[in-house]
Amino acid sequence: MTVPSVLLVPGAWHRPDHFRLLVDELSDVDVHTVTLTSSGDDPAALQDMHADAGVIARAAAAIGGPVVVVAHSYGGVPTTQAFRQAGNVARIIFLAAFQLLAGESLLSINCGSLMPWARRRRQKGIGDYVEVVTPMTVFYNDVEAETARYAVARLGYQSYASMSQRLTETAWQTIPSTYVICEADNAIPVAAQEAMARRADDVVRLPTSHSPFLSQSAMLAGLIRRSLARA
């Protein structure tokens, strides 16, 4: 039996490097990551959700064999957009992620408003972007201090467009999905995660912050392995 590969999709402001501990725990698995175009250090270079979806779709197609996509937080939005047809994607794991319907956006489900811990920056001549005000307490409240400081230092900016653009595709309606609820999450309220999790085929709960790939990487790796076995 062919064991699927794993494709890791980071959330807003994050990079593949934030998954380094999880990748180490999955050393026996074929793991791939993507760098989203909507996140980065240069606000003028940031692209949008549809560009992110293209990056994710191409990365999955390039793997060739079956793949389980693990999408964290905002990463669930372009992942949902990316797969008009399932192709080689066997399952999507929404990790404290936005599992939305066509017509919804990350901001639309919050009445069009940013989260209170995020700040919109308006720039003439380039698209608006968003920065996190209190990342240590919002993302990494159960992460070891040195690791959390490293993670904060690696955060980029996020394009506002990526948060406001509405989905036109809904991959999880044709691809099996798992929702992972993070019960100590300060970024996405647990009640909101539970509401989105009703759209998944199965639901798992972790006693972690928004970033179990840093605080409980071994536990998360075990969960992913179980999904690979099922896929």
Side-chain angles (χ1 to χ4, degrees):
M1 181 179 68
T2 301
V3 176
S5 300
V6 171
L7 178 63
L8 301 175
V9 179
W13 302 285
H14 286 70
R15 314 169 191 264
D17 191 45
H18 286 94
F19 288 129
R20 61 193 178 96
L21 297 181
L22 178 60
V23 172
D24 288 345
E25 291 288 346
L26 293 169
S27 59
D28 57 327
V29 177
D30 180 40
V31 179
H32 303 255
T33 59
V34 294
T35 299
L36 298 183
T37 68
S38 62
S39 301
D41 296 328
D42 181 2
L46 301 181
Q47 298 184 50
D48 61 15
M49 184 272 289
H50 293 284
D52 287 343
V55 168
I56 295 165
R58 289 190 294 273
I63 292 171
V67 59
V68 169
V69 180
V70 181
H72 179 238
S73 196
Y74 158 79
V77 181
T79 295
T80 296
Q81 180 70 30
F83 302 111
R84 182 176 301 178
Q85 298 177 337
N88 62 326
V89 178
R91 178 169 291 272
I92 301 172
I93 299 175
F94 289 88
L95 177 61
F98 290 89
Q99 188 166 357
L100 305 181
L101 292 165
E104 293 182 328
S105 72
L106 188 152
L107 292 183
S108 75
I109 64 167
N110 196 39
C111 300
S113 300
L114 284 171
M115 298 66 72
W117 41 264
R119 180 182 296 121
R120 181 179 181 178
R121 296 294 192 183
R122 301 178 185 272
Q123 296 291 309
K124 291 183 179 179
I126 64 172
D128 293 357
Y129 65 95
V130 182
E131 60 185 5
V132 183
V133 179
T134 55
M136 190 73 78
T137 55
V138 172
F139 296 148
Y140 313 124
N141 46 293
D142 67 344
V143 178
E144 187 273 333
E146 183 177 352
T147 301
R149 286 193 293 270
Y150 176 88
V152 169
R154 298 292 293 156
L155 292 172
Y157 300 115
Q158 183 72 23
S159 75
Y160 182 79
S162 66
M163 296 181 165
S164 59
Q165 288 168 321
R166 296 176 184 267
L167 291 167
T168 62
E169 306 291 340
T170 317
W172 54 264
Q173 290 184 328
T174 56
I175 301 172
S177 63
T178 295
Y179 198 99
V180 181
I181 296 172
C182 293
E183 296 179 323
D185 195 327
N186 288 340
I188 304 177
V190 172
Q193 293 182 60
E194 290 171 337
M196 291 185 286
R198 297 190 189 104
R199 297 166 176 170
D201 298 293
D202 70 316
V203 180
V204 181
R205 306 180 79 98
L206 294 180
T208 70
S209 70
H210 194 59
S211 305
F213 44 88
L214 292 175
S215 64
Q216 294 290 342
S217 55
M219 182 187 300
L220 180 57
L223 184 157
I224 292 171
R225 282 195 181 86
R226 289 192 290 275
S227 288
L228 293 178
R230 292 175 58 193

